C-alpha cells in the first residue's frame, strides 16, 4: 500500500491539474481578497485507484461555476455547483472508501510570488468544505505542517458568475 505522503501528493497533484493553481507550500494567513477557486472530494477504495466523488471549479473560459458529482453519489447532492455534504453522505463515503479526502483551492493576490499563481490547494475537513462555496470571498489560512486549509469566515462573493 502506498504511503500517506504518496497518496496525499497524488491527490493534491490531481486537484491542481483540475484547477491549474498549485502553489508552493508555506504558511499563508490573512483575509484580504481571497476566494474559493475549487472544491473536490476523492475516495480511495481498498483495492483501486482514487475516484472523484465531487468536483466544483470556476471555469474561466465559461466564466461560471461548474460542478460534477459522480452518478453513484448524485442522489445525495442537491446542487452540484454549490454542494454541501450531509452527515449521511459523509458516513456513507467513509463506509464505501478506505480513505476520503476533502480538498479546497483558495486564491489570493497577496499570496502571489514570482513563481506562484497565488493559489493554495490542499485538504480540509467537511465543516470547512461546507462553509464556503466556489467563488465565495473568504477569510482563510493554510499551514503546510497541518496540510489543511481553514475557512474562518465567508465575506461575500468574488464576482457574480455569468448566467447560464
Amino acid at each position: 500500500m502506498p504511503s500517506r505522503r504518496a497518496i496525499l501528493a497524488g491527490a493534491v497533484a490531481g486537484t491542481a491539474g483540475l484547477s491549474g493553481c498549485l502553489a508552493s507550500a508555506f504558511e499563508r494567513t490573512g483575509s484580504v481578497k481571497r476566494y474559493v477557486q475549487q472544491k473536490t472530494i476523492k475516495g480511495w477504495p481498498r483495492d483501486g485507484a482514487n475516484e472523484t466523488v465531487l468536483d466544483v471549479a470556476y471555469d474561466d473560459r465559461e466564466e461560471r461555476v461548474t460542478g460534477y458529482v459522480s452518478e453513484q453519489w448524485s442522489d445525495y447532492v442537491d446542487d452540484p455547483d454549490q454542494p454541501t455534504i450531509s452527515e449521511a453522505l459523509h458516513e456513507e463515503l467513509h463506509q464505501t472508501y478506505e480513505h476520503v479526502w476533502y480538498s479546497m483551492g483558495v486564491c489570493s493576490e497577496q499570496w502571489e510570488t514570482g513563481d506562484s499563481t497565488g493559489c493554495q490547494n490542499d485538504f480540509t475537513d467537511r465543516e470547512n468544505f461546507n462553509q464556503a462555496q466556489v467563488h465565495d470571498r473568504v477569510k482563510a489560512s493554510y499551514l503546510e505542517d497541518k496540510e489543511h486549509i481553514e475557512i474562518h469566515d465567508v465575506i461575500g462573493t468574488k464576482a457574480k458568475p455569468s448566467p447560464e
Side-chain angles (χ1 to χ4, degrees), residues 61-129:
R61 292 175 301 217
E62 303 265 335
E63 295 185 341
R64 67 184 187 99
V65 174
T66 57
Y68 161 81
V69 178
S70 169
E71 187 175 325
Q72 176 181 357
W73 305 107
S74 62
D75 290 344
Y76 289 91
V77 178
D78 293 332
D79 185 350
D81 293 346
Q82 296 188 348
T84 55
I85 306 306
S86 66
E87 183 66 32
L89 176 53
H90 180 73
E91 292 298 320
E92 193 68 30
L93 290 170
H94 282 280
Q95 289 177 10
T96 303
Y97 299 109
E98 183 173 14
H99 301 285
V100 176
W101 284 312
Y102 295 86
S103 66
M104 295 181 87
V106 176
C107 298
S108 172
E109 292 174 8
Q110 288 181 323
W111 289 349
E112 292 178 9
T113 62
D115 62 346
S116 171
T117 61
C119 298
Q120 181 61 52
N121 298 355
D122 219 318
F123 302 98
T124 194
D125 56 32
R126 181 176 147 257
E127 290 75 22
N128 283 298
F129 188 92

Side-chain angles (χ1 to χ4, degrees), residues 8-66:
L8 292 174
V12 171
T15 300
L18 294 170
S19 63
C21 281
L22 180 62
S24 59
F26 56 88
E27 182 176 337
R28 296 169 182 225
T29 58
S31 63
V32 179
K33 297 182 182 178
R34 285 174 173 66
Y35 68 96
V36 176
Q37 170 241 15
Q38 64 84 17
K39 293 171 55 162
T40 302
I41 301 173
K42 293 206 179 259
W44 274 263
R46 289 175 183 16
D47 59 350
N50 73 58
E51 299 172 4
T52 299
V53 172
L54 177 147
D55 183 57
V56 185
Y58 184 75
D59 185 328
D60 290 324
R61 292 175 301 217
E62 303 265 335
E63 295 185 341
R64 67 184 187 99
V65 174
T66 57

Side-chain angles (χ1 to χ4, degrees), residues 126-145:
R126 181 176 147 257
E127 290 75 22
N128 283 298
F129 188 92
N130 283 343
Q131 186 174 348
Q133 298 299 330
V134 170
H135 239 246
D136 280 350
R137 286 185 31 229
V138 295
K139 291 182 181 179
S141 61
Y142 172 77
L143 293 174
E144 180 180 12
D145 62 338

